[in-house]
Amino acid sequence: MHPIERLRLVARAGAEGRSALLAREAATALAMFSDDPAGLVTACRRLVDRHPTSGPMWWLAARVLVSSDPGGEAWRSSEELDDDATASVLAACIPDDSVVTVLGWPEQSSVALVARGDVESRVVDVLGDGAGLVRRLTAAGSDSALVAESGIGAAVVSSDLVLIDAVAMGDDGLVAVTGARAAAAVARHAGVAVWAVAGLGCVLPRALWQALRSELDGSPEPWEDVEEIVPIDLVDAVARPGGLERVADAVAKPDCGLAPELLRRVS
């Protein structure tokens, strides 16, 4: 497939596409622009324009743009996403015999829960994704229950831990599926631990994070959005590729540097 056509397919992919998966596809396309600096900048801007809340997409674009070897950097980024150990780390960190609440079908947390047969899951049916995860957990021999969105508070209060997959994270918040803020707020009031799960590419430097979050802050009807911002002070710890970290430590170590080109958009 021609790189331009591959790039168009990634740019047109809907919000239902997995963030890290889309970034891997984008890396393959961007690698073909290594001899076209101007085209590379435009391609990166278009990708973040079409996927403005995807941390891995901003991470990929920033890495490629600041590298002296953009083609090689794109391939390395794709390989690192393939090797992301966040789900395995999370699986090892969840306390034995816990009751855990998740929302929808989270990209990282779902893998960890499938690996942990001793964990009981409350799966809130956000965006209609919960039933699929419950079937997957049941097939893996894990005890799980499907919870209607109206029962999110009750599910959280009856849990030991709430896992919230972040598609992007910065110094004052994270982007997660709708309902995550309510779950985190109820958990804080009830004394239930909240862990953000931030895979490779999710933690961004302040300038890129502020540019990303402005896409949600400016939403005219935020109650219709499929993603929302969760304040960072509702999170107790962050699961990262290297382990479970304090929130302050996680946001102090962004996954990429600043690429000023991304602050000028094409849309």
Side-chain angles (χ1 to χ4, degrees), residues 76-174:
R76 285 189 291 273
S77 299
S78 179
E79 291 171 357
E80 289 177 23
L81 285 170
D82 282 334
D83 295 335
D84 184 4
T86 303
S88 298
V89 167
L90 176 61
C93 290
I94 298 174
D96 293 345
D97 302 314
S98 295
V99 178
V100 178
T101 288
V102 295
L103 288 78
W105 194 324
E107 188 170 1
Q108 301 282 356
S109 296
S110 62
V111 177
L113 292 175
V114 167
R116 285 293 301 270
D118 64 311
V119 172
E120 182 180 344
S121 304
R122 309 266 195 267
V123 182
V124 182
D125 195 22
V126 174
L127 304 178
D129 286 340
L133 177 55
V134 168
R135 288 193 295 270
R136 178 69 183 87
L137 289 168
T138 300
S142 181
D143 188 6
S144 61
L146 182 65
V147 179
E149 288 186 75
S150 59
I152 189 170
V156 169
V157 170
S158 65
S159 298
D160 302 307
L161 175 65
V162 175
L163 298 178
I164 297 176
D165 273 36
V167 294
M169 177 179 285
D171 59 346
D172 60 0
L174 61 91

Side-chain angles (χ1 to χ4, degrees), residues 59 169 202-206 240 249-257:
W59 165 84
M169 177 179 285
C202 288
V203 180
L204 300 176
R206 180 172 177 78
R240 299 244 57 216
D249 293 337
V251 299
K253 299 177 292 185
D255 291 336
C256 64

Side-chain angles (χ1 to χ4, degrees), residues 13-38:
E16 71 278 1
R18 299 291 185 181
S19 188
L21 175 61
L22 286 176
R24 289 197 293 271
E25 288 294 317
T28 302
L30 292 180
M32 306 305 174
F33 286 87
S34 57
D35 296 326
D36 180 9

